[in-house]
């Protein structure tokens, strides 16, 4: 009788650099070490926080926050402009370290990536040992720290990498996954933002365990296609492969509002928030684009998009916001109320065009 062949259990590592841009700045300038440091736009303008050192994070400073708000939370913070040439150089070195162990590398941005080490190049066998070796190489060769999550799928590995930051390593094995996800707060699920989390809580869904009580029909009825993903993940199922050829085609953010917007002032205020997130994500990915697209969904669920392409590539917050506002005004919305706004940037330049001299660091909810 022929034996049934079974696929080997996957070994997935998620590596996430610790406060990457700020750590590079502190490494390269000893005077900044141990200080509350913010990498991003000037606090006296309309800048956005690209990232903050852990010393600044203690005061509540976070990525995508306005620089003005960061100053309010941490008045003694030191602000520096991003140096993307330095971050890209470090990121390339880190990618080279990854490639010593596997060719199955899916970068998410300059500072994080998934690795599939089910079959590693060096025959080490243990994903935990490989993660330790990668972390040590990054520390020895770049004087930077990284946190790692190790598990059998991407969802759990990503959550695990954030559990013991900075310089952490967390392993969540197959037998522990379901119990872990059942206890996980819904807002900790990757991709669940404030609005979705609020909707879940109104339905009495506070943890993965609560989600697990719903049938597939019930959960997709509430959350559409995403519901099917939630249904599987609370059971430890995530078959998404690590994709080495992953290429970012667009970067965007959108928000569905708690009530329909009826005035231009309200719409502009929301576009301001969304543009900050988009600018921060472009910076994190080291990308600039020429085409800005505005998505509008009306109160009656009709949906339109409007786009504008520029001659120069940009990741600049003001340029994104001003274009989005102009597109909104030109859309002729009249007396229609708006329930959703979104901004997307696409038509990216090549990596060589993304020089440091012209840089301005899913859905929003």
């Amino acid at each position: 009788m022929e034996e049934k062949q079974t696929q080997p259990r996957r070994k997935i590592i998620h590596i996430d650099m610790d406060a990457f841009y700020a750590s590079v700045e502190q490494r390269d300038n000893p005077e900044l070490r141990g200080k509350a440091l913010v990498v991003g736009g000037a606090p006296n303008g309309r800048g956005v926080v690209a990232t903050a050192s852990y010393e600044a994070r203690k005061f509540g400073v976070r990525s995508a926050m306005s620089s003005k708000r960061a100053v309010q939370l941490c008045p003694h913070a030191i602000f520096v402009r991003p140096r993307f040439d330095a971050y890209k150089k470090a990121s390339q070195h880190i990618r080279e370290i990854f490639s010593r162990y596997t060719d199955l590398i899916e970068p998410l941005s300059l500072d994080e990536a998934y690795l599939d080490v089910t079959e590693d190049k060096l025959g080490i066998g243990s994903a935990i040992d490989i993660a330790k070796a990668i972390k040590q190489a990054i520390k020895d060769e770049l004087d930077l720290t990284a946190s790692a999550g190790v598990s059998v799928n991407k969802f759990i590995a990503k959550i695990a990498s954030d559990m013991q930051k900075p310089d952490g390593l967390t392993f969540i094995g197959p037998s522990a996954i379901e119990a872990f996800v059942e206890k996980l707060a819904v807002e900790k699920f990757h991709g669940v933002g404030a609005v979705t989390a609020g909707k879940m809580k109104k339905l009495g869904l506070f943890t993965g365990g609560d989600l697990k009580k719903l049938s597939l029909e019930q959960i997709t009825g509430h959350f559409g296609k995403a519901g099917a993903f939630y249904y599987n993940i609370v059971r430890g199922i995530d078959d998404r492969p690590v994709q080495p050829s992953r290429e970012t085609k667009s970067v965007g953010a959108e928000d569905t509002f708690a009530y329909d917007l009826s005035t231009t002032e309200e719409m502009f205020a929301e576009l301001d928030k969304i543009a900050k997130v988009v600018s921060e994500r472009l910076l994190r990915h080291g990308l600039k684009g020429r085409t800005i697209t505005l998505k509008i969904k009306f109160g009656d669920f009709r949906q339109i998009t409007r786009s504008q392409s520029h001659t120069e590539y940009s990741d600049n917050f003001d340029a994104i916001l001003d274009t989005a506002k102009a597109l909104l005004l030109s859309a002729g919305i009249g007396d229609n109320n708006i329930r959703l706004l979104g901004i997307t940037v696409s038509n990216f330049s090549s990596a060589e065009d993304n020089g440091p001299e012209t840089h301005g660091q899913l859905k929003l909810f």
Side-chain angles (χ1 to χ4, degrees), residues 80-151:
V80 299
R81 295 292 294 175
R83 294 184 303 129
F84 284 93
D85 54 344
Y87 311 149
K88 288 178 184 176
K89 182 178 179 180
S91 182
Q92 290 167 355
H93 191 151
I94 294 164
R95 193 77 51 82
E96 188 276 323
I97 291 173
F98 295 162
S99 68
R100 299 171 194 173
Y101 300 90
T102 180
D103 291 326
L104 295 178
I105 303 164
E106 180 181 341
L108 302 179
S109 60
L110 292 177
D111 60 347
E112 64 174 316
Y114 290 112
L115 289 72
D116 187 328
V117 296
T118 308
E119 296 181 4
D120 67 280
K121 289 181 176 180
L122 303 182
I124 295 172
S126 167
I128 296 174
D129 289 345
I130 294 170
K132 288 179 179 178
I134 289 172
K135 281 168 48 63
Q136 191 61 51
I138 291 172
K139 189 174 293 185
D140 292 343
E141 299 174 29
L142 289 104
D143 194 20
L144 298 170
T145 64
S147 293
V150 180
S151 193

Side-chain angles (χ1 to χ4, degrees), residues 162-177:
D162 196 45
M163 291 182 66
Q164 299 187 64
K165 274 187 164 289
D167 200 16
L169 193 161
T170 302
F171 167 67
I172 301 176
S175 63
I177 287 177

Side-chain angles (χ1 to χ4, degrees), residues 46-346:
R46 302 183 68 183
V48 180
V49 175
T51 194
S53 68
Y54 285 95
E55 293 85 0
R57 294 183 188 194
K58 293 177 182 177
F59 292 85
V61 180
R62 294 288 184 269
S63 297
M65 178 181 288
S66 70
S67 297
K68 182 178 179 181
R69 177 59 178 158
V71 171
Q72 293 173 342
L73 293 171
C74 187
H76 61 284
I78 300 170
F79 281 75
V80 299
R81 295 292 294 175
R83 294 184 303 129
F84 284 93
D85 54 344
Y87 311 149
K88 288 178 184 176
K89 182 178 179 180
S91 182
Q92 290 167 355
H93 191 151
I94 294 164
R95 193 77 51 82
E96 188 276 323
I97 291 173
F98 295 162
S99 68
R100 299 171 194 173
Y101 300 90
T102 180
D103 291 326
L104 295 178
I105 303 164
E106 180 181 341
L108 302 179
S109 60
L110 292 177
D111 60 347
E112 64 174 316
Y114 290 112
L115 289 72
D116 187 328
V117 296
T118 308
E119 296 181 4
D120 67 280
K121 289 181 176 180
L122 303 182
I124 295 172
S126 167
I128 296 174
D129 289 345
I130 294 170
K132 288 179 179 178
I134 289 172
K135 281 168 48 63
Q136 191 61 51
I138 291 172
K139 189 174 293 185
D140 292 343
E141 299 174 29
L142 289 104
D143 194 20
L144 298 170
T145 64
S147 293
V150 180
S151 193
V152 298
N153 64 52
K154 292 166 72 171
F155 181 88
I156 301 299
K158 184 169 177 65
I159 292 175
S161 68
D162 196 45
M163 291 182 66
Q164 299 187 64
K165 274 187 164 289
D167 200 16
L169 193 161
T170 302
F171 167 67
I172 301 176
S175 63
I177 287 177
E178 281 203 61
F180 170 77
V181 177
E182 285 177 2
K183 295 178 182 178
L184 193 67
V186 292
E187 57 265 30
K188 296 292 185 181
F189 277 55
H190 179 56
V192 173
V195 170
T196 301
K199 180 178 179 180
M200 287 181 174
K201 290 177 180 179
K202 286 182 179 178
L203 294 169
L205 307 171
F206 297 93
T207 66
D210 295 328
L211 285 170
K212 196 173 182 180
K213 296 174 184 176
L214 299 182
S215 68
L216 178 59
E217 291 74 17
Q218 288 174 320
I219 201 167
T220 54
H222 289 304
F223 305 106
K225 292 180 180 179
F229 177 74
Y230 303 145
Y231 180 85
N232 284 325
I233 202 59
V234 294
R235 290 162 176 80
I237 302 168
D238 178 13
D239 295 327
R240 293 174 300 158
V242 172
Q243 298 176 307
S245 60
R246 185 180 192 273
E247 182 181 355
T248 303
K249 299 293 185 181
S250 65
V251 171
E254 63 183 44
D255 191 9
T256 301
F257 311 115
Y259 60 91
D260 291 352
L261 307 183
S262 59
T263 69
T264 303
E265 289 74 17
E266 290 177 318
M267 297 169 196
F268 279 6
E270 295 300 334
L271 286 176
D272 186 285
K273 298 175 187 176
I274 297 169
K276 283 187 174 71
V277 176
V278 174
S279 176
E280 186 271 342
R281 289 179 177 175
L282 287 168
L283 291 166
R284 280 183 59 84
H285 285 266
L287 294 170
K288 297 179 184 178
R290 290 199 305 116
T291 302
I292 296 170
T293 301
L294 177 69
K295 176 180 176 181
I296 304 171
K297 184 179 287 186
F298 298 107
D300 59 4
F301 292 93
R302 287 184 300 114
Q303 183 174 302
I304 62 171
T305 59
R306 295 290 184 270
S307 297
Q308 181 176 338
S309 294
H310 299 280
T311 56
E312 296 184 0
Y313 297 98
S314 178
D315 57 10
N316 181 266
F317 163 70
D318 285 322
I320 295 169
L321 177 60
D322 290 346
T323 302
K325 286 181 176 179
L327 290 170
L328 178 69
L329 293 175
S330 67
I333 58 176
D335 296 328
N336 291 290
N337 291 343
I338 290 177
R339 64 180 292 105
L340 176 148
L341 288 170
I343 301 172
T344 302
V345 177
S346 58

